[in-house]
Amino acid sequence: MNRFVVAAVIALTGLGGACAAQAPSTMRATAATPAAFLGSGALQTLVDAVPPPPFEGSPGALADAAASERLRALEDTDRWTLATRHAELRPAIAVSHFDCVVGAQLTAELAPSLVALLDRVLVDANAAAELGKARAFRPRPVGVDAGRRSCQVVSAAGRASASYPSGSASVGAAYGEVFARLAPDRAAAAREMGRQIGISRLVCAMHYPSDVEAGRALGIAVVAAEAADPAFAPAIDAARADLDRVRATGLTSPACAAERLALATPLP
């Protein structure tokens, strides 16, 4: 199945145009910013555990640059199209990234408590990544090379924004951890999808591998810390009730076959 078939399936699910326009560091909740689970002190503790980015010219930085260069081979492939879709992380839309994982067709209308939970998780995971970026500036691949293509629309300010750690990888991993708790029977697949959202940022030339790995570890740590908040368990219970109800309808996403093919694309 070629990229045009994938794009058609994505368009059928209502995701095509919105994803391409999502700019870095502009992730927002679905309505007024909800209350976070974590306070500034807890977030800072998590960020303090994140190692600094590789310094310019180091073996790690050179390996990152080489890996990013190889990923140019995926431009305009099915995996590139999926990465375009993954660029959208607002919960009301991003909940559909886990349709194929849980075997259901999720929407904000059918799963309001689930989306509300992801709203709060988004606030924490993105805030943690932004704190990490404030410690040391590392340019993005699209910032180092102004002519580098991305699978999304990127402004000049977006190209010039910090790359480490990846906020999208942090949010994607956090979402994966939430779905692992909501559907223990699909926990491994949920965490893998969270990881793939981070990999999509490599495909999009928005981050380097070490940015994504640091962001992923941060997102996992964020949800582990959130679980200690007394409000977290009731939110999980309400979201699980939504998920169970939607799964019981038997409705599934038409995009799953295309998604499987895209994810099977080897990384160069």
Side-chain angles (χ1 to χ4, degrees), residues 54 57-72 138 141 144 148 207-210:
S58 69
L62 294 175
D64 272 353
S68 182
E69 189 65 25
R70 290 193 299 272
L71 286 167
R72 288 179 186 265
R138 185 189 199 189
V144 172
R148 181 78 180 268
H207 289 287
Y208 294 106
S210 60

Side-chain angles (χ1 to χ4, degrees), residues 79 86 191-201 263:
R79 188 63 183 83
H86 282 167
R191 291 187 170 106
E192 175 60 18
M193 181 53 66
R195 188 178 78 89
Q196 289 294 336
I197 290 171
I199 290 174
S200 286
R201 307 309 285 158
L263 291 174

Side-chain angles (χ1 to χ4, degrees), residues 7 9 24 48 51 54 96 116 130 137 147 155-156 158 172-173 190 193 198 216 223 236 238 247 254 256:
V9 173
D48 288 344
S96 68
E130 290 302 310
F137 178 81
S155 66
M193 181 53 66
R216 179 169 174 259
V223 176
I236 284 283
R247 292 176 86 179
C256 291

